[in-house]
Amino acid sequence: MPAYLKMGSIPRKRHIAMRAEPGYRNEGIYYEEVVTTAGFGRAYSIAYHLRPPTRVRKVEAAGTFRIDLAEVPALRHHHLKSGAMKPQGDPITGRVPLMLNADVALLRCRPAQPQAELYRNAAADEILFVHKGQGTLSTMFGVLPFKPFDYIVIPHCTTYRLDYDGATQLDLLVVESSNNVTLPPRYLNPDGQIRLGAPYSERDFHGPREPLVVDREQDVTVLIKDGTRLTRYTLAQHPFDVVGWDGFVYPYTFNADDFEPITGTIHQPPPIHQTFEATGYVLCTFAPRMLDTHPEAIKVPYAHSNVQADEVLYYVRGKFGSRRGVEEASFTLHPRGIPHGPHPGTIVASRQVTRTDELAVMVDTVRPLALTRRATDLDDPNYPYSWLE
Ligand SMILES: [Fe+2]
């Protein structure tokens, strides 16, 4: 969780009357909403609304979020090229699921049109990695600008609208996380602050910049997703009617170019790239960095067999030193149980190289990932043989 943040006006103590004149129905107060995580056991925020946030006019079934799983009869490596996927839908409806298990789902989204209605993921934290595009995320916590290579972390149950500048095609990698997205506990000191020596600090995390008080008594629809079930709620007012809030739960951004890489004289293992963690997976950022400085260093990774982990890399920018044939927006999936490693020629080719400009996002999962049919449509069947000379 990022640091404590406070915005707008809030009362001196929790759960005492915050006076508003005349207030909704002349009741003379703002209406508190506490947003908690893990029941009441972990981080929370408290927001103050113009009207009670519970005023629902209509609840309707809105269909199912379709996931067509593929039959994958053989255990093998995969290379999916997602760079040419056609734009479709909006920032919510245009999402294409590619890989998933019970803890995490990876989707791609290249929307063709603006977001049609407000959206709320009731069953997952979302990490939206902005490959291309810029804009703002509006929530009851305020307005949060985003730009290329930002991770936008959106906690469970945050109703939002994603607006993007039309000049650039918005291009997102969406990570749906059934469990809470946190910073790795080893990066925190016993006082809860990010340690000196961690690959980022509190200054690299950005919450909403300005409050957003939409005072509108009118019907507003919100599309709610919990798992694959979609429900449309019609609220009797706009939900972004918050005059102030404080706490540890809010959407925030962290830019991959602010990741401070840790390097050594010889190859450092993947955990030094770790950026986020949640039960069931870790997310790492392979950021531009100096390569290993030992005169005899092998500057690409070991060949390795993933034991008890499926490893996904999403290639964002630059040339990836240990891989041949991958391109921008490629995914590789190296599942558990079979070895993979640097491609032929890359060890020798890296000898004289002193730094890498690669940027990639890695997701390592505890449970095996299933592929969807949309994913296998993008797959290169010859990738398992790409280590032959
Ligand atoms: Fe690997």
Side-chain angles (χ1 to χ4, degrees):
M1 285 295 162
Y4 173 83
L5 196 63
K6 178 178 129 180
M7 195 158 293
S9 42
I10 56 173
R12 183 175 54 81
K13 283 182 74 69
R14 284 173 287 175
H15 213 50
I16 60 172
M18 182 181 177
R19 296 286 169 202
E21 291 305 333
Y24 170 70
R25 297 175 89 173
N26 292 317
E27 290 188 332
I29 58 165
Y30 293 108
Y31 296 86
E32 220 168 15
E33 179 186 7
V34 58
V35 180
T36 64
T37 50
F40 287 85
R42 294 191 58 164
Y44 63 91
S45 288
I46 302 178
Y48 295 83
H49 293 268
L50 298 180
R51 300 173 181 83
T54 43
R55 299 175 63 230
V56 175
R57 213 179 276 294
K58 198 195 247 180
V59 178
E60 302 165 274
T64 303
F65 182 76
R66 208 168 148 170
I67 296 173
D68 289 325
L69 291 180
E71 287 287 327
V72 183
L75 173 69
R76 70 166 179 85
H77 298 310
H78 297 271
H79 176 193
L80 320 177
K81 294 184 178 180
S82 75
M85 285 174 80
K86 287 202 176 63
Q88 63 171 59
D90 75 13
I92 308 303
T93 61
R95 296 177 181 188
V96 179
L98 296 177
M99 294 172 234
L100 65 151
N101 64 24
D103 301 308
V104 63
L106 302 176
L107 309 90
R108 290 279 282 122
C109 184
R110 295 158 62 84
Q113 65 233 19
Q115 187 174 328
E117 60 187 334
L118 295 175
Y119 173 70
R120 176 181 176 98
N121 194 328
D125 277 14
E126 293 183 355
I127 304 173
L128 311 182
F129 177 76
V130 183
H131 191 154
K132 287 178 188 153
Q134 58 189 8
T136 55
L137 179 86
S138 298
T139 71
M140 74 169 185
F141 299 99
V143 179
L144 178 66
F146 67 83
K147 61 181 191 288
F149 315 125
D150 271 348
Y151 295 100
I152 312 170
V153 180
I154 307 172
H156 275 67
C157 300
T158 304
T159 300
Y160 70 82
R161 178 181 171 82
L162 197 77
D163 290 300
Y164 57 97
D165 296 351
T168 312
Q169 171 67 54
L170 182 65
D171 197 343
L172 302 174
L173 168 65
V174 178
V175 180
E176 267 195 5
S177 177
S178 305
N179 302 298
N180 303 111
V181 174
T182 61
L183 307 187
R186 69 177 188 280
Y187 291 168
L188 304 179
N189 65 29
D191 305 296
Q193 186 180 20
I194 299 172
R195 285 178 192 272
L196 289 170
Y200 41 58
S201 80
E202 278 82 1
R203 296 183 197 183
D204 299 319
F205 291 85
H206 308 283
R209 279 202 197 150
E210 48 187 279
L212 185 62
V213 189
V214 182
D215 181 2
R216 214 178 286 157
E217 177 84 16
Q218 67 173 59
D219 289 2
V220 176
T221 63
V222 181
L223 184 67
I224 300 181
K225 177 173 182 285
D226 68 316
T228 55
R229 179 170 57 185
L230 299 173
T231 310
R232 180 166 290 107
Y233 268 61
T234 303
L235 309 179
Q237 72 220 13
H238 202 289
F240 302 163
D241 64 341
V242 167
V243 296
W245 62 271
D246 77 336
F248 283 69
V249 176
Y250 53 88
Y252 61 90
T253 59
F254 168 72
N255 193 276
D257 280 331
D258 286 330
F259 191 88
E260 199 58 48
I262 295 164
T263 59
T265 64
I266 59 164
H267 178 70
Q268 299 295 299
I272 56 122
H273 304 286
Q274 193 180 349
T275 310
F276 298 114
E277 102 172 27
T279 302
Y281 76 98
V282 295
L283 187 149
C284 301
T285 304
F286 287 77
R289 61 192 181 279
M290 295 301 293
L291 289 173
D292 321 320
T293 54
H294 189 286
E296 292 178 80
I298 292 174
K299 297 178 182 174
V300 292
Y302 306 83
H304 64 110
S305 291
N306 306 351
V307 177
Q308 297 165 323
D310 278 15
E311 175 198 292
V312 178
L313 268 161
Y314 177 73
Y315 302 84
V316 179
R317 193 183 69 196
K319 188 176 175 305
F320 209 77
S322 61
R323 289 269 95 76
R324 288 192 322 206
V326 298
E327 49 193 57
E328 233 186 61
S330 278
F331 288 90
T332 54
L333 166 59
H334 299 133
R336 63 205 57 215
I338 44 176
H340 68 282
H343 271 130
T346 56
I347 293 178
V348 173
S350 68
R351 267 189 201 140
Q352 302 306 319
V353 181
T354 54
R355 61 173 286 118
T356 172
D357 61 351
E358 73 192 22
L359 179 63
V361 176
M362 185 173 87
V363 174
D364 256 24
T365 68
V366 175
R367 298 197 241 197
L369 287 163
L371 290 168
T372 64
R373 282 195 204 159
R374 288 296 295 272
T376 52
D377 287 349
L378 304 172
D379 197 10
D380 173 4
N382 294 316
Y383 182 62
Y385 313 114
S386 60
W387 285 267
L388 288 173
E389 293 294 343

